[in-house]
Each structure stands twice: as C-alpha cells, then as structure tokens.
Amino acid sequence: MINYLIKGILRDKNRSLIPVIVITIGVMLTIFLSGFLKGAMGDIVDQNARFETGHVKIMSRAYAQNKDQLPNDLALLGVDTLMESLRRQHPDMEWVKRIRFGGLIDVPDQNGETKGQGPASGLAVELYSTQSHEAERLNIQNALVSGTVPDQPGKALIGHVFADKLNIKIGDPITFIGSTMNGSMTFENFTVSGTIRFGMSVMDKGAFIIDVADAQRMLDMQDGAGEILGYFANDVYNDDKAQQLTESFNRQYAATDDEFAPEMFRLKEQNNLAGYLDYADNMSLLFVIIFVFAMSVVLWNTGLLGGLRRYKEFGIRLALGEAKGHVYRTLIMEAIVIGIIGSVVGTIIGLAATWYMQTYGIDIGGMLSDASMMMPTVIKARLTPDLLYIGFIPGLFAMVFGNMLSGRAIYKRETANLFKELEV
Amino acid sequence: MLPLISLAQAQYPDGAEVIRKVDENMTARTVQSEEQMIVHGRRSSRTMTTRSYARGHDESYTEYLSPPREEGTKMLKLDDRLWLYSPSTDRTIQISGHMLRQSVMGSDMSYEDVMEDRELLDIYTAKVVGEDTIDGRKTWVVELTAKVDDATYHSRKTWVDQQRYVPLREELFAKSGQLLKRVTLSDIKKIGSRWFPTKMNYKDVLKDGQGTDFIFTTVEFDVEIPDFIFTKASLKK
Amino acid sequence: MKLSFRLAYRNLMGAGLRTWLNVGVLSFAFVVIIFYRGLIDGWNQQARRDSIAWEYGHGHLLDAGYDPADPFSVQDGHGILPRNQQQHLSPILLRQATVYPQGRMVPVVLKGIDVNQNTLELPTRMLSGSTADIPAMVGTRMAKSLQLKQGDELLLRWRDKNGTFDAANITIAAIFDTDVAAVDNGQIWIPIEKLWAMTGLQGHATFFVASAGYQPHEIAGWNFKSQKEMLQSLDNIIQSKNIGGSIMYLLLLAIALLAIFDTQVLSIFRRQREIGTYISLGMTRWQVVGLFTTEGTMYSFLATIVGCIYGIPLFIFMANTGIAMPEATQDMGVSVAGTIYPVYGAGLIISTIVLVVISSTIVSFLPARKIARMDPVNALKGKLQ
C-alpha cells in the first residue's frame, strides 16, 4: 500500500512536488531561524565567554574577589597539576589558562634608548599550543591588521594604533615593563609579530597579546595563571552541565579555608549574565513559538491546497466505486508520506545551513561603518538538539492536518456533481 | 602648673639640632653596604639581597645579588633621574612619571620614596614636641613640617634616641594629618664611631599586611668608591 | 484596474479559510517586523538620550594632553580655559586617587564636577546639599563594587599638584542610578571646587561638557569632540543589532510569502477555465496576470488591516509598559536602560508596509507570469497541466 502511494507521489508531480518543496522550505526556515536566534541572542554571552568568563572559570578565591584589579599576586598556583586533573576528568572540554596583566610597552631606538612608551593591557593566552583554539576563540586572525599570530616564544601582538604612532614595524623589538606576581619590576624583550585592531580604543592602543608561557616566565608565575577557563565542546554553553561541574569541583575544596584555593564559577554567575541568559532563552523561545506557529499555519494551508488540487482525481476515484473512507485514508497516508519526505529533507537542509552558520557565520562587519571586533560582527547560528524536531513535528502535523481538513470535502461530494466536474 | 610646662618645654633641645645629630649618624660622604630586603606578601615572604653604593644624597647605585631572577638587575640614581637595567633584556630604562609610583620589588616602598634626596632640614622645619620611651630607650619626639610645597609627605614625626641620636620610629603623614606610613628602626649597632640601625620595617599603614623589612648585613662608611660606578655605563657592565 | 481589484477581493473572500490563513501569517510577519524595528529604534533613542544626558552633553572640549583611552594622560592632561571662553561649558577635572575600603587598596578616578551644572543629569545638587567635609557621589555599580551605601565614610588618598600626599575621609552623599556605565564604573564624583582646593589645581579642568548653546571653535590647547563623534560607536552597535534582527524577520516574512506563492500556484492551476474565460471575454493575457497579481498583493493589504487590528493595541501597550532588559546588557559599553520603550515612527511603519506589499506582489507575480504563456483555448478546456 505504502509502496503504491510512494510510487503515486513520485510519479504525480502535482501531488508531490510543490507540497514537498513548500514543506522542505518551511521546515528548513524554521530550523534555521531557531538556530540563528539562539546564536544571535547568545552573542553577548558568547562574547563574554570567549573574552572573559569561559563557560566555567577557575580563579583563586582571593583573585576572584578583586578580579577587576588583575591581582596576579593572588593568582592560582599549581596550575599544571590542576589542569591535568581537569583534562583527565573532563576530556570532552577544552581547558586553557590565561593571564591578564598591565604594564608599559617601551620602544627602543637603534641605540637602545627609549623612543616611546605607552600603557599596555596585556593578555596571555595559549597561542602556541596546538590543542588550544584560543587564537580562533579570540578572533585574533580577523583582528590582525598586519603580520601573523605569534608562533614562537618571544613574539607579541600589539595594538595597531600604538604601532602606527611609534612607527613600529613587524619584526621590531619592544620591551615590556611590568611587575611580576611578587611585585618586582620585570623587563622582557619581544619581537612584534603582528598588529591588531579590536575596534576598542583601549585595546587598539594598548593591546599586548603574548603566549601564556612567555607571560608565566616574565611575570614570575611558573605554574601559575590568573584564570583557567573551561569550554564545552562545540563552544556551546550548557548551564545544567556547568552547574553540575561547578558544584562538584567546588565541593573538593569546601573543607579548606585557604584563600588561594581554586574556585570555579560558571558563566551564568559572572558579569551579571544570569539575567541576560534567562532573557535570551525567553526571547528566543518566544520567537521560535511565533515562527513555528506561523509555519504551521502555512503548511496547514499547503495541506489544504494539496487536497484541493486533487478534487478531480477524487471525483474519478469515487466514480470508479472507491469507498469514500478509503480515498480519505489514502489522502492522509499520502500526506504523512509527503510530510515526512518534506520534513526530513527540510530538517537536513536546515541543520546543514545552521551548521554552516555556526561554523562560518555571516560577517556583517562590512555593513558597519566602523566595525569593532570586540563587538561580534559575525552573526553565528547555534546547532542544538531541539532543532531535530522543532521543524519536523510541525512540518508533518500541519501538513497532515491541512489534508485532513480539505479531505473532508470527499464526504460532502455528491455523485451527481462528480460528472459535472469530469466534463471536458 | 603652667610654669612647669614651659620649663619642661625649655628643656627640649632644638629640633634642627636633633636632626643634625641624627644626620651625623645616618649619613656619610659615601656608604657601601649589603642589604637584605624581605617583602612580606599575602601568601609568602621573599628575601632579596642587594649591594649598594651611595655618594652624598644625590648618587646611588644598587645591584641585586639574589634571588637568581633578580640577579644582575641594577638601579642607578643620579640627581633626579633613575634608571633600571635588566640583564635579561640588556636594556637601560629610565623610570619616570607614572612608573615612579610603582613599588620597589613588591615592597611597601615606591621608587619615588627612593628618589627623595633632599636633606630633611631643607624640606622640613623640625621641632621637638615631647618625649617617649621605645623599647626602654628614651626618645625625643621630633615633628617635621614641610616648608616647601613639593614634599611627598607633608609632615613627619621622628622618635630619636636621646643618647645615641638614632631614629627608632618614624611616621609619615598626609597634608590632612592622616598617617600614611610607619618606619620602625631597630638592631642598633655601633659601626665605627657611629650608631646605626641595621634593621628597618617600612609599612604602608592604610594597607593590610606586615610591611617590608630592610636589614643591613654589612655597612661601611666613607670608603672610596670609583667614579664610574655612578655613570650609566656601569649599568651595562 | 478597479474591476480587477473587485474581482480579486471577491475571489479572496470566496476562498475563506485559506485566505485568512495566508493573511494571518502575513499580518503576523508584519506585526513582528514593526515590533522588532520599533524596539531597536526605541533602544537607539533611549541609548542616545541617556548617553547625551549623562555623559556626552553637546560634546566635550578636551585638554589636548588628555586622551580618554589613556589613563596615564590624566596626570598632566588638564589646563585652564580663560573664563570668557567658558560660556555653555561645564568643567570636569579628573585625578587619580586611591581608596581603602576594608583594608584593600583600590585605585579610582576622582572626578570633580560643578555642583550647579545642569548640562548632565548627574545629581550634583545632592553634593551641594551635603554638610560633609568632602561629599561624594558614586553610581550604583561602583557602590556595589566597593560595598558602599549612602552616608558611608571612606578613606581617600590623593596627591596635590606638587605630588604631596593627602588623605581624608569622604562621605557618600548620594548614590545615583544610571544606564550609562561610563560615568559610574571606577569613579567617585566630588564638587570641583573641593577638588581644586584639595589638589591646588584652582580653575583647572580635564575637559568641559558643552551645553546646547555651545558653538565649537578652535581653541589652542583644547580639542572639541562633537556629540556626533561620540555617538558613533553606539550607532554601530545598534546597526549590528538591526542587521541581526532583520535576518530574523526576513525569514518570517519569507515563510508568509511562501504561503502566498503556494496559493498562487494552486489558483492558477485550478482556475484555468476562469483564465480562459477572461481571455475569451477580451482581457489581454497581461491583464489577467495583473488580476492574479492583484489578488496576491491584496493579501498584503488585508494583512496590514488585520495586523493593525491586533497590532495597534499591542504596540500601544508595549510602548507604555516597555520591555525589561537584563542587567548584563548594560555592561557592554553601550547604555541600555532597564526597560526599553519601543518607538514606532511613521517612517518605520510606512517602510514596513511597503516592504510587505512589494514582496507579496513579487511572489504573486512570479507564478502568474505563467498565464501569459497559456493557450487560451486549452485553458478554457481546463486541459493545461
């Protein structure tokens, strides 16, 4: 029976093609929009996660209390052991260490005398590690104005405004002056490997990005780091998981009152993000409901139309003596098959499009007159499991429902009228 | 009662005289010394050793001997200029402006504190305001009030040992009279003809913590120091 | 034209449920588009208003040595502007200082402001009303970060113009609540006369905030930064939100248009005989195309009407109660109010209607083009596939 129906659907383009296309497009759009909304609403959160909070962040208790002042004297120590155990216990997550620090950049002339100085807002991340995705995460490649991402010790990225002002070229030496974890003054020479532009004047002037290993040596923080950030796979924040993780991690240190014991914070607890996350969830849910509703109406209509297209065929079948119930049932069966085909294809295309948008995104930087890299200029979608059914279910049901409604006409049909319709 | 107080005050020596006597103990034409600096941090204490040369008030040179990280770091002050040399970068950088306010090696002391090179009596008028006893030793309490308008600390109070003319405690005040820093001097030793406090604790009282200790392990006064020590070239040597 | 309009209307009404489903979805898209754009416009207006009211005024006149992005430039970036140049300008002097809450050492920016100023919305009158020796005010964020409440005293250490340390207690006379984090984070506001006296920088200012009547002109040693320049970064963020939002509502519009498209394809298929009849009655093919396109376009008119019926009360309600925004958005460097009141301008509504009408006309026209290629005889017989 099903085979017969499928054959019919495949052979009769009228019956199948347009409805399948419409359902496919509808389902695809729904999925894409949901994924897009989740991504777009999450951009602030995402940006925070990338630059500051991670999905979870570990700091020493004392550091956490004064984190605005970048108190590296209170930083975590024994970071390697800690990270190793984190990696062992949560191999699905990416764990990275970062150090934020302040200081001065001093640019020497040929004789080694100071040519110019400027404040530096330093950020040390795992640039050289092949396992880390930090450079990507911080969008450094796109922020490069010239040069390349540092690939070996002793190289640094600096803000392009500062570089322009002092006429610093790629490969030029600079000296960083700052204070170590212990408060000693520290000097370190770096070679400029690139200049970056984040679109925020503080960063464009003072950005100083180096590898974390260089920073550890320079700031006398061997085996230390200001913060350890954890990222879930696919860079998608999951609050339930983060909460579980945070609770179990902090439980290990509940007994100690050491002010330098590590403490884990989930994204939601940081930077007032809780309110925003809830808000984003609610807003995107609202929009998805609106959209799914709209699409259901459209597909319902498609179902109605699909039934209408075939009034003549029904007339003939009834005239040939097929029972009304049978005609109706086959109509519904067909609707189910068409609905499934359309929804499956739509879901696949929708997921593919969402995946593409999650991976590459749409760069709206060009549409902005003065794009800022700190502000997300690439709009990205987010692939979540609910996308699997969010389009599929309404796609199928709205279609079937529409057919059911229009199919009622089969029962209303008078045999006498049939022949009138058959007239050619 | 009243005559008694005025009589008591009359017995106080002249403040400037007390300070001059202190200077005789504390300053010399040249000083060569080795010191330990113990910085009490929030989580641990660190000890650094240095060798210093000073000539008069205006010229001083300090070289870090340990720990390994700081070894070879040199600091040179000539008049109102201060340079730091770091061996790892092989660069000499003048510390100026904002950087002068940074702490010296994490201590409670800033480079600016190190820079102050005028004689106390050039900046302050001194007056003995009372007597006190510290660790069983009788002291004059000398109040120093700025007579110039660019003193870092508007006033100071110094507790001077009445017999040895060595300061045992010093307090530094803001214009408003708010106490900012306290220096405690101890382990007074006889070096040649002079008394000299070989231990000093320097504390920023507004901040939590135990302050910074300076300990002189050796001190020599009025020794010959070669001229080239006080040149920028000596930093790179 | 009138005929095709009337015919189109009749045909649509005759189709009943199908028409209303299409109209419903299209009206929905219409309402959502207007709502979203209204929200963005409302945000834009609020953010501009707040930034101007609290921070920008009608522009800043900055000492040439002062660079807002360089904290070190605060030290020397100040100067005296001759009195006669100071019309419509209100001075603000910045100084670095340190406060000691609970034994911690926290660097702050001390901002002296004229207590009688009324260019900015900062409640400076609260400072003049205070009897405290050094009355100070902070924003809610700063108060939270230092754990301060009104009436609290806090030890402040600063340096005068010669570098001499000074320290005194300040009294928190007021805590203000603003959407503009840039006048709140890390700063303490005190009367400028007080700061002048404390530092000996009598008459100095780091920058001036211009009020409405200020005419910018060249002044040596000072740079004028206009309100427009300062609003640029805000405009960018708003624009990016706009682009992101438009992707969303265009998708919604697309799905509504899909329904119209589908309906059109079916009507043309089902109504061949009708088409044949029109042509045989003397209509040109393109007139018939026009008739069918009008039908499709009419969805958009009906959708506009239906959208207005339920949209207007909704918009009015939203514009009055506003939409609550979460706290985190306020820390993005853009001012975002706790509540945003959408603004629906005539331009926004008209352009949305035009967008919906034109796009639905296009999708109606596309399938209707087929009519132009029809053979009227076959059409009349209903023999076309």
Side-chain angles (χ1 to χ4, degrees), chain A residues 14 18 22 25-26 29 32-33 36-37 43-44 66 69 104 119 201 205 271-273 275-276 279 287 290-291 293-295 297-298 300-302 304-305 308-309 311 362 364 367-370 375 379 405 423-424, chain C residues 17-18 21-22 25 28 32 36 67 69-70 72 104-106 144 232 236-237 239-241 243-244 247-248 251-252 254-255 258-259 262-263 265-266 269-270 273 323-329 331-332 382-383 385:
Chain A
N14 251 329
I18 297 245
V22 171
I25 295 176
L29 288 181
F32 183 70
L33 179 108
F36 172 77
L37 264 181
D43 62 358
I44 293 177
N66 301 304
Q69 296 157 40
L104 275 180
S201 72
K205 290 210 168 100
N271 293 10
N272 288 327
L273 287 175
Y276 185 79
Y279 169 84
F287 277 114
I290 288 175
F291 199 78
F293 172 73
M295 185 198 63
V297 173
V298 169
W300 175 13
N301 199 10
T302 307
L304 275 180
L305 298 173
L308 285 177
R309 278 195 178 90
Y311 269 23
I362 300 177
I364 58 166
M367 300 182 215
L368 303 175
S369 44
D370 182 21
M375 186 179 80
I379 302 183
L405 276 184
E423 265 177 338
V424 178
Chain C
L17 180 61
R18 279 176 289 136
L21 287 181
N22 283 344
V25 173
F28 214 63
V32 169
Y36 190 85
D67 175 359
D70 177 1
F72 296 154
R104 286 184 296 140
M105 194 174 156
V106 181
K144 194 177 158 200
Q232 186 59 45
N236 277 327
I237 291 175
Q239 213 181 338
S240 87
K241 291 287 149 201
I243 296 169
I247 294 178
M248 181 201 72
L251 285 178
L252 188 60
I255 216 160
L258 187 65
D262 191 20
T263 311
V265 171
L266 182 79
F269 169 75
R270 292 241 308 158
R273 252 181 260 180
I323 294 157
M325 293 300 275
E327 216 179 332
T329 45
D331 297 329
M332 292 191 307
K383 273 192 171 166
Q385 281 300 322

Side-chain angles (χ1 to χ4, degrees), chain B residues 3-50:
Chain B
L4 206 68
I5 289 174
S6 59
L7 190 72
Q9 275 185 340
Q11 282 173 350
Y12 290 161
D14 175 39
E17 191 52 41
V18 173
I19 297 299
R20 244 188 301 278
K21 281 185 178 165
V22 169
D23 274 354
E24 276 172 24
N25 262 326
M26 303 290 289
T27 62
R29 193 173 53 79
T30 62
V31 183
Q32 181 180 331
S33 56
E34 280 188 24
E35 307 92 0
Q36 278 185 342
M37 181 162 89
I38 305 164
V39 178
H40 299 284
R42 207 158 141 182
R43 49 198 333 177
S44 64
S45 295
R46 287 193 318 140
T47 304
M48 280 156 281
T49 57
T50 52

